[in-house]
Amino acid sequence: MSALAGAPGVVAVAGTLEPFLGPLTGFVVDAAIFFVVVAATYVLYKAAIKPLVERLFDRQGLDEHARRPLQKIVAFLVLFAGVTVAFGAAGYQGFLRSLATIAAAATLAVGFALQDVIKNFVAGVFIYTDKPFRIGDWIEWQGNSGVVEDISFRVTRVRTFDNELLTVPNNALTSDVVKNPVAKKTLRLKFVFGIDYEDDVERASEIIVEEAEKSDAILADPAPSVRLTELADSYVGLQSRIWIDDPSRADFVKARADYVKAVKARFDEEGISIPFPQRTVSGRDAWSEPASFGGEPSGGEP
């Protein structure tokens, strides 16, 4: 019997319906109580709980990618609580106890079967709390790179720069190193210019810095700098270090390409060469033409 069965209003409704429904009156009344409680829970969520949760999210400054799954979790918990209360109010306690027992056994079985899903879910929670990246960020991991389009509790969707959509398990993004070049306001770029051993290193370094200072995309503070980093087989390596502001993948590629093009043009103007690999072939003894090529044999008469 339901907890509301003794309420005067319920008794009155049951008495009104009994001549029409006969023995089904109790079942119909209990079912009606169940659905009324569930509907009231839904209305309460929409009218009061959801706006309250949204104000709480606003106060905490949560991003959109974090709001959506958390709102779904809150909605599920409220609905679950409403259904539980509805079962009790409708007098289905026995069914509720049986359902709880079945659910406990099912949870144990499902837990073993869905270990990877649970692992990705936990990884998703860490992504939401640690915020290593956000929607719209350019990230790199395990040889892949792209822009984050969506983050859920199980997977993260990344759009590559070839316009391919990668669905990445969250565990792959929390168990390994993920590089987020746009997490901070500025980004340092490095590029090695190779010049000939006979060229003037100091003049080449001045040109590299001058072209960086001319570029609107490159910051003046921190100032551009050059370091001699390589004495390779065929060139002297001068590493340029420049900074760009508010980086994105497009800004990074364009700024570096324009800068390298400008430096190359200045090198050409001032006669500084960018050498290609060269090989010198030598032998210990003087080479003599084999007899098969028309030469004389190295020993004895022909």
Side-chain angles (χ1 to χ4, degrees), residues 106-257:
T107 301
L108 183 61
V110 170
F112 283 108
L114 301 179
Q115 293 184 54
D116 289 340
V117 174
I118 295 173
K119 182 164 50 176
N120 287 320
F121 177 83
V122 173
V125 173
F126 285 125
I127 289 175
Y128 285 116
T129 56
D130 295 343
K131 298 180 181 179
F133 50 81
R134 304 168 183 264
I135 291 177
D137 281 3
W138 152 37
I139 63 172
E140 298 179 0
W141 80 101
Q142 297 178 359
N144 301 294
S145 63
V147 176
V148 178
E149 285 201 344
D150 183 61
I151 304 172
S152 68
F153 273 115
R154 190 179 65 85
V155 298
T156 295
R157 292 175 177 83
V158 180
R159 180 75 60 179
T160 70
F161 301 110
D162 294 327
N163 205 35
E164 300 171 332
L165 182 64
L166 302 182
T167 300
V168 188
N170 285 333
N171 182 60
L173 298 176
T174 56
S175 61
D176 205 344
V177 176
V178 175
K179 182 165 73 172
N180 186 346
V182 298
K184 302 300 182 181
K185 185 173 177 59
T186 58
L187 174 67
R188 188 177 75 173
L189 307 181
K190 295 185 290 185
F191 189 87
V192 176
F193 294 94
I195 65 173
D196 194 276
Y197 272 89
E198 296 180 358
D199 289 329
D200 187 343
V201 172
E202 294 301 325
R203 182 55 187 153
S205 300
E206 291 174 0
I207 292 173
I208 292 171
V209 173
E210 287 172 4
E211 292 303 317
E213 292 173 344
K214 292 179 183 178
S215 174
D216 294 333
I218 298 174
L219 295 176
D221 185 20
S225 63
V226 180
R227 298 288 185 273
L228 196 159
T229 57
E230 295 183 55
L231 295 175
D233 292 340
S234 57
Y235 67 89
V236 176
L238 301 176
Q239 185 184 80
S240 171
R241 302 177 183 186
I242 58 176
W243 293 81
I244 62 174
D245 190 24
D246 195 17
S248 70
R249 180 56 158 65
D251 295 336
F252 156 68
V253 173
K254 186 177 186 305
R256 186 176 66 175

Side-chain angles (χ1 to χ4, degrees), residues 33-45 79 86:
I33 292 172
F34 176 84
F35 287 111
V36 167
V37 173
V38 171
T41 302
Y42 178 78
V43 172
L44 177 65
Y45 170 74
L79 180 60

Side-chain angles (χ1 to χ4, degrees), residues 263-274:
V263 172
K264 173 65 168 60
R266 283 289 304 281
F267 278 2
D268 292 342
E269 290 175 6
E270 304 208 15
I272 296 176
S273 59
I274 300 177

